[in-house]
Amino acid sequence: MRFVKVEPMKTDTVLKPELCNCLALRQAARHVTQFYDRFLAGAGLRTTQFSILAKLRRLGPMTISALAADLVMDRTTLGRNLQPLEREGLVAIVPGRYDRRSREIRLTEAGAERLRDAIEGWVKAQIGFEAVFGAQRSSELREILHAVSASELERAAPEPG
């Protein structure tokens, strides 16, 4: 592992919101989420719900912990997002196949059908995003964001408490 020496920020830059990486990412994420939500609304899904259904279709049944980790989401937030999907019969939460004490999320046939309905909206959102930012910049942005998600930022953070 390679460690990089981090220089402390100058005090005159510390409180400038335009320099905050977290704020910029959160604002961009909300903006893009709202954009995609408009395209997915016709299928009755929000962006996070679409991501959950797509992940389950791609990877098959998963435990709540595994799905939360894969989506870079805490279990509580995932649970709140699963409730309407389960209520609508789009996912089933059942005892695990290998450990009956664990809970496993499975995509139902109704969920797979809803996902198929939503894919057209998602494709239109992708096309719209790339029309504004260009295919190359969009690809580069995804690459950077995947690197951020896969990074070991938690190692640079102090222990809680």
Side-chain angles (χ1 to χ4, degrees), residues 144-161:
I144 290 168
L145 293 174
H146 288 307
V148 169
S149 294
S151 72
E152 296 185 13
L153 278 176
E154 65 276 357
R155 287 180 173 238
E159 289 296 319

Side-chain angles (χ1 to χ4, degrees), residues 53-72:
L53 298 179
K55 187 70 70 173
L56 291 171
R57 186 187 78 181
R58 198 167 42 258
L59 299 177
M62 301 176 76
T63 64
I64 291 174
S65 294
L67 182 58
D70 206 68
L71 292 169
V72 191

Side-chain angles (χ1 to χ4, degrees), residues 85-139:
L85 295 175
E86 184 180 30
R87 227 182 3 257
E88 293 182 42
L90 306 179
V91 299
I93 302 174
V94 298
R97 289 174 290 183
Y98 305 111
D99 180 354
R100 305 298 284 167
R101 295 169 296 175
S102 70
R103 311 271 291 152
E104 191 172 82
I105 302 131
R106 295 181 183 170
L107 183 65
T108 65
E109 186 51 48
E113 185 176 325
R114 180 79 64 90
L115 180 61
R116 282 190 294 274
D117 293 342
I119 287 173
E120 181 181 337
W122 178 83
V123 168
K124 287 178 182 177
Q126 288 284 103
I127 290 168
F129 187 94
E130 290 192 4
V132 172
F133 290 100
Q136 181 66 34
R137 283 179 67 203
S138 297
S139 176

